[in-house]
Amino acid sequence: MRVVDIIPGTTVDGPGMRTSIYFAGCRHQCPGCHNPATWDFSAGREMSVPELMDIIIDNDFDVTFTGGDPLFSAKEIIPLAKAIRQTGYSIWVYTGFVFEDVMKQGGAESRLLSMAEAVVDGPFIEALRDTSLHFRGSSNQRIIDVAATVATGNTVTLFTDLNTEGI
């Protein structure tokens, strides 16, 4: 898998201190994106699961997959997600896709999202940019509680504008 950057100890990509992994490649190319350097699928460098796990374990934080869009490389990222979960760390995934659409389609993309504690979904829409939101850039984006959504069969969101406890 191609990794553009790894940010250890960040607090902007989910609750608490996290290790954020920026994967290469995005076809959404949202106007106003804060990270267009990750759009190129050949950006960054190839990294292996053991190499990334050494970094994750050394940092000892929960993990966020971002980019780019990790779903474009879901097949390659799934073994990393499995290793992270087996080690006991939680995973947040940022994607420009809509959660329900991905889950309906099945495949590697839905398997990757199923391994996450939370998914921040939807494209960044510059006209809906809102810097007061927690962990997302535009008001159309949601933070999906994956386990609660699977358990109830209804989309359950976290950290809505009226629910910021625990931040």
Side-chain angles (χ1 to χ4, degrees), residues 62-153:
D62 288 325
V63 179
T64 297
F65 294 163
T66 188
D69 190 324
L71 268 59
F72 286 112
S73 302
K75 287 179 187 175
E76 293 83 11
I77 297 171
I78 286 173
L80 174 63
K82 287 179 182 177
I84 290 168
R85 293 303 302 258
Q86 289 171 349
T87 310
Y89 297 107
S90 75
I91 301 169
W92 274 41
V93 176
Y94 280 76
T95 180
F97 293 101
V98 174
F99 180 83
E100 294 85 355
D101 295 343
V102 173
M103 298 308 281
K104 283 180 196 170
Q105 290 178 356
E109 297 80 6
S110 67
R111 286 195 307 276
L112 179 60
L113 293 188
S114 296
M115 294 180 193
E117 173 188 28
V119 173
V120 181
D121 80 332
F124 172 75
I125 298 175
E126 196 167 19
L128 300 177
R129 181 177 185 259
D130 185 344
T131 59
S132 72
L133 297 172
H134 295 284
F135 311 127
R136 57 201 192 277
S138 59
S139 61
N140 64 297
Q141 295 172 315
R142 304 171 299 166
I143 304 172
I144 309 294
D145 179 329
V146 176
T149 296
V150 170
T152 65

Side-chain angles (χ1 to χ4, degrees), residues 3 8 17 19 22-24 46 51 53 92 96 99 102 110 126 147 153:
V3 174
M17 301 290 278
T19 297
Y22 290 76
F23 293 98
E46 281 293 319
E51 192 175 10
M53 286 306 298
W92 274 41
F99 180 83
V102 173
S110 67
E126 196 167 19

